[in-house]
Amino acid sequence: MAAQRDLPALGTKTGRLYVSLYFPALALDHWLRASQETYPLALYSGQRLVAVSSAARAAGVTEGMSVTSALALSPQLCLRVFEPEQGLHLLQNLAQWAYGFTPYVELDEPDFLHLEVASSLRLFHGQTMLLERITRELAAWRCAVFIGLGPTRMVAKLLAKSQVLEAAPSLVEQQAAIAEQRLGVLLSALPVSRLDVSAALLKRLASSGFRQLGQLTALPLSELGQRFGKDAVRYLQQLCGLQEQPVSALTLAPAFNQRLAFIYGLTDAAHLQEPLQLLLRQLQQFLRLRQLITQRICWCFYHEDKTESQIIVAVQSAHSDTDEFYQLTCLKLENLRWSSAIEQVGLEALGLTSAAPVAKGLFRDMRDKSDDIERLMNRFYQRFSAQQFCSYRLQAEHLPDKQQCEQLAFVSNKVKAASAVGLDVDHWLCPWLLHPPQALFMRKKQLIWYRDGLRQELQLVSRAARFDSHWWQQRARRDYFIAKAQQHYYSVFFCQQREQWFMAGFYVC
C-alpha cells in the first residue's frame, strides 16, 4: 500500500453538511405513535420477542425472551406480530416529509435517513433554525429518533448512532463543535463499537485492544490495511472525507398513503376524530410541499377481525383544502357501521394533479360564488348516492324523450347553448323527462295516468308530431303530443310498435 496517505483530522470541512436521522424502533413506532399513553408492547416472530417498548422493558421484558415467559412477567403485555414492512413503509413516509427540506434525501434501510442540507441553509435562515424546525416537525411524527450532524454522511451517521449512549454528544454540542472546528475531538472519543462496519471487523478491533475511534485514526493507513483489510481503510477514508460519496436527489413518486395503528382498537366514531385530523394534516403538508391537489381521498379501516371497510370522499374540483375533506369525511362517518374494533386507519390520496394558481377577487362581494355552490354539492354527494343526486345534460338524439342523459351533478360557470351541441331545440324538448317513460291507460277514449295511486285525466292540446327513428337499431315510430291535466302540461307519445301510450315527462309552467 505504498500509494496510501495518512488520514486527515476527523471532522475536516468538506463543503457539505449532512443531517442523519436514526429511527431505532420504527416497527414499534408504527403501533405506538398514535397512542397518547405508553403501553407495554412487544413484537414477536415465531415464539421469540424481537422488539419491546420502554414500558415493557420496565416490566422486565427483553428481546429474545419467549412469548410465554414475557406474559408471565407482564400479564398486561400487548403482543403484535413483527412485520418489517410496516417500519419500512413508515421510513418511506418520513422520506416524503424530509423532501420538504432538501431534494438530497437518502434512504438507508432499515432505520436511517440522510439529508444533505448545505444548499438549504439560506432558505431556512441558517443551521440553527433549520435544525430547530426539523426537530419540531419530527416531534409531531411521534417516532423515537436520534439526530447526527457532520461534514460527511458517515460522520453524521456515526454521531446519530452514538446517541443511544449516555455520554454521547447532544445535537447542540455537535453544532458548537462544528462551529468551533473541534468536531474531531468529539469523534475521537466515540467507541469503536458504534462504527458502521461488519460484526466480524468489530470483533477483530475489540480483540486488538481498540476502544475509541481516535486510536484507529492515529495509525497509518498502510498499517490499518495490513491488520484489518481494505474494508476498514475504505470506511475510515469515507469517514474523513477522502472518498467522496455521490449525492443524489431522491426521486419520490407523487403518492400519499399513510397509516396509523392502535394497540387497542377503536370502537366509536368519536375516537376516530384525532387520527383523521392527524393524517389530514400530514396530507396537507404533502400537498403543499409537492404543489399538488387531489379530487378524491380514500379512508381504509382495518378491523381486528381482519376485515376492511372503506370510505371514499370525492369533491367537484380538485383542491388541497383538508378542512373541507375532514368535514365531508365526518358526514360519511355517520353511515359507517363496523362489526369489530378498528386496529389501523389508512389514508390514500387519489387522482393527484399539479396545482395551478387560482385568481380570486380582492373583495368578497366580487368573488365567484361557485365555490360555495360546490361545497354545498359536495355535501349532497356524501349524503346521497350518484343515482339519488345527479343532473342531466342534452345529447344529440332524434327522439325527444332520449335527448337527456344522466351525469354527475357539477357546477359550471358557462352554460352551453343547445345549438352548440348540435340539437334542434323546439317545444318538443321537455325539460323534465321520466326515466323510463311511464305507461298510460286509455279508458273509454280518455287518456289516464296513475301517479302515486292518484288518477289524472289527460287532455291532448296539440297536434301529433311523428318521429320515425333508430332504424339502425330497433325502429321506433312514435307520435308525440302535449297533454294537459289541471294546470300542468306533460309530454306524451303513442308507440306504434307496442300500440301503447306513454308519459315522457312534464313541463314547468
Side-chain angles (χ1 to χ4, degrees):
M1 295 189 173
Q4 291 180 330
R5 56 193 174 106
D6 290 342
L7 293 171
L10 285 170
T12 302
K13 290 185 176 182
T14 61
R16 298 177 181 175
L17 183 65
Y18 286 88
V19 177
S20 288
L21 306 177
Y22 175 40
F23 302 94
L26 284 174
L28 289 169
D29 292 332
H30 170 78
W31 292 100
L32 294 174
R33 72 191 194 97
S35 304
Q36 297 292 344
E37 303 178 16
T38 56
Y39 296 101
L41 172 67
L43 306 181
Y44 68 92
S45 178
Q47 292 298 318
R48 294 289 174 180
L49 304 185
V50 296
V52 298
S53 66
S54 57
R57 198 179 302 277
V61 180
T62 59
E63 294 88 348
M65 187 177 290
S66 68
V67 173
T68 305
S69 301
L71 289 175
L73 278 174
S74 178
Q76 295 80 24
L77 182 66
C78 183
L79 293 170
R80 291 291 184 271
V81 178
F82 176 64
E83 300 180 30
E85 60 271 12
Q86 294 176 343
L88 294 179
H89 182 74
L90 183 54
L91 184 67
Q92 291 169 356
N93 289 333
L94 285 162
Q96 291 270 13
W97 159 81
Y99 195 74
F101 296 98
T102 174
Y104 304 109
V105 180
E106 179 187 354
L107 278 84
D108 189 357
E109 297 179 358
D111 44 23
F112 268 95
L113 284 180
H114 305 295
L115 288 66
E116 203 290 307
V117 297
S119 58
S120 303
L121 295 179
R122 185 174 180 182
L123 176 63
F124 290 93
H125 308 290
Q127 182 186 120
T128 301
M129 295 191 67
L130 172 62
L131 293 175
E132 287 178 355
R133 182 167 174 177
I134 290 176
T135 305
R136 183 173 62 253
E137 294 189 11
L138 275 173
W141 282 84
R142 301 175 183 173
C143 295
V145 59
F146 298 105
I147 304 177
L149 188 67
T152 67
R153 188 182 317 168
M154 290 298 185
V155 167
K157 184 176 182 179
L158 176 60
L159 287 170
K161 199 173 181 180
S162 301
Q163 294 299 302
V164 296
L165 304 175
E166 293 183 0
S170 65
L171 183 60
V172 176
E173 292 174 337
Q174 296 174 38
Q175 289 181 259
I178 292 177
E180 298 170 7
Q181 299 184 4
R182 55 179 180 83
L183 184 60
V185 178
L186 292 182
L187 294 173
S188 298
L190 293 180
V192 172
S193 60
R194 307 311 297 175
L195 299 183
D196 188 28
V197 294
S198 65
L201 179 56
L202 289 177
K203 185 177 181 180
R204 290 177 59 191
L205 291 172
S207 62
S208 300
F210 291 96
R211 298 291 180 266
Q212 294 181 327
L213 179 59
Q215 296 174 316
L216 274 180
T217 56
L219 295 178
L221 283 179
S222 57
E223 182 177 344
L224 283 172
Q226 292 173 358
R227 296 179 62 179
F228 303 108
K230 294 181 179 180
D231 290 341
V233 173
R234 185 183 303 108
Y235 175 78
L236 291 176
Q237 287 178 329
Q238 292 176 352
L239 191 68
C240 296
L242 283 181
Q243 284 192 8
E244 289 290 339
Q245 295 173 292
V247 180
S248 58
L250 179 64
T251 303
L252 296 173
F256 181 89
N257 187 359
Q258 294 196 18
R259 289 187 188 182
L260 285 179
F262 307 92
I263 297 179
Y264 299 103
L266 306 179
T267 57
D268 191 274
H271 298 155
L272 287 172
Q273 304 305 314
E274 184 177 351
L276 297 182
Q277 292 176 353
L278 177 59
L279 287 171
L280 284 172
R281 284 197 297 269
Q282 294 177 359
L283 173 61
Q284 184 181 42
Q285 184 183 42
F286 167 80
L287 294 175
R288 177 177 57 83
L289 293 177
R290 303 299 296 271
Q291 297 183 7
L292 298 172
I293 53 179
T294 181
Q295 193 169 3
R296 290 186 303 154
I297 61 173
C298 177
W299 295 99
C300 296
F301 303 99
Y302 303 88
H303 302 271
E304 289 182 346
D305 60 359
K306 305 307 177 184
T307 60
E308 299 180 15
S309 54
Q310 285 187 349
I311 288 180
I312 294 181
V313 179
V315 294
Q316 294 280 308
S317 303
H319 59 71
S320 59
D321 186 356
T322 52
D323 290 336
E324 174 72 4
F325 278 118
Y326 174 71
Q327 295 176 18
L328 298 177
T329 300
C330 291
L331 292 177
K332 284 277 193 177
L333 282 176
E334 295 178 4
N335 300 323
L336 181 65
R337 299 291 182 269
W338 55 80
S339 57
S340 64
I342 294 177
E343 194 174 63
Q344 296 185 61
V345 178
L347 174 59
E348 182 179 4
L350 306 173
L352 291 167
T353 56
S354 298
V358 179
K360 292 188 176 181
L362 180 61
F363 302 102
R364 181 176 296 274
D365 294 341
M366 299 176 61
R367 293 179 183 175
D368 188 4
K369 304 299 183 183
S370 62
D371 288 347
D372 296 332
I373 301 175
E374 280 192 5
R375 290 176 182 271
L376 177 62
M377 296 183 71
N378 288 335
R379 281 154 178 75
F380 278 131
Y381 268 122
Q382 314 316 314
R383 292 287 191 182
F384 305 104
S385 66
Q387 291 73 29
Q388 293 173 316
F389 183 65
C390 61
S391 64
Y392 295 90
R393 64 177 174 85
L394 298 177
Q395 63 179 358
E397 272 286 349
H398 186 52
L399 297 177
D401 62 296
K402 295 184 178 294
Q403 290 180 353
Q404 291 180 1
C405 64
E406 289 187 7
Q407 67 175 10
L408 293 176
F410 66 96
V411 179
S412 178
N413 295 327
K414 297 180 180 180
V415 180
K416 294 182 179 180
S419 58
V421 293
L423 296 179
D424 183 15
V425 179
D426 55 20
H427 63 280
W428 295 111
L429 180 61
C430 184
W432 294 99
L433 295 178
L434 299 176
H435 298 275
Q438 297 183 9
L440 302 177
F441 300 92
M442 182 67 75
R443 299 287 188 268
K444 298 179 180 180
K445 297 184 179 182
Q446 177 64 54
L447 199 57
I448 299 173
W449 180 32
Y450 289 96
R451 182 182 184 185
D452 298 329
L454 299 178
R455 172 190 171 108
Q456 292 191 34
E457 295 183 355
L458 300 173
Q459 179 184 1
L460 301 181
V461 296
S462 72
R463 295 181 179 181
R466 171 65 59 88
F467 287 82
D468 193 345
S469 182
H470 286 70
W471 51 266
W472 57 93
Q473 293 177 336
Q474 183 177 359
R475 188 176 182 182
R477 288 182 297 170
R478 300 176 180 179
D479 295 327
Y480 284 82
F481 300 84
I482 295 177
K484 181 179 180 182
Q486 298 179 357
Q487 301 300 320
H488 302 284
Y489 291 86
Y490 303 90
S491 173
V492 301
F493 65 87
F494 181 77
C495 180
Q496 299 288 345
Q497 288 89 344
R498 300 175 60 178
E499 297 185 355
Q500 173 72 47
W501 287 89
F502 290 91
M503 171 71 69
F506 53 92
Y507 297 90
V508 179
C509 301

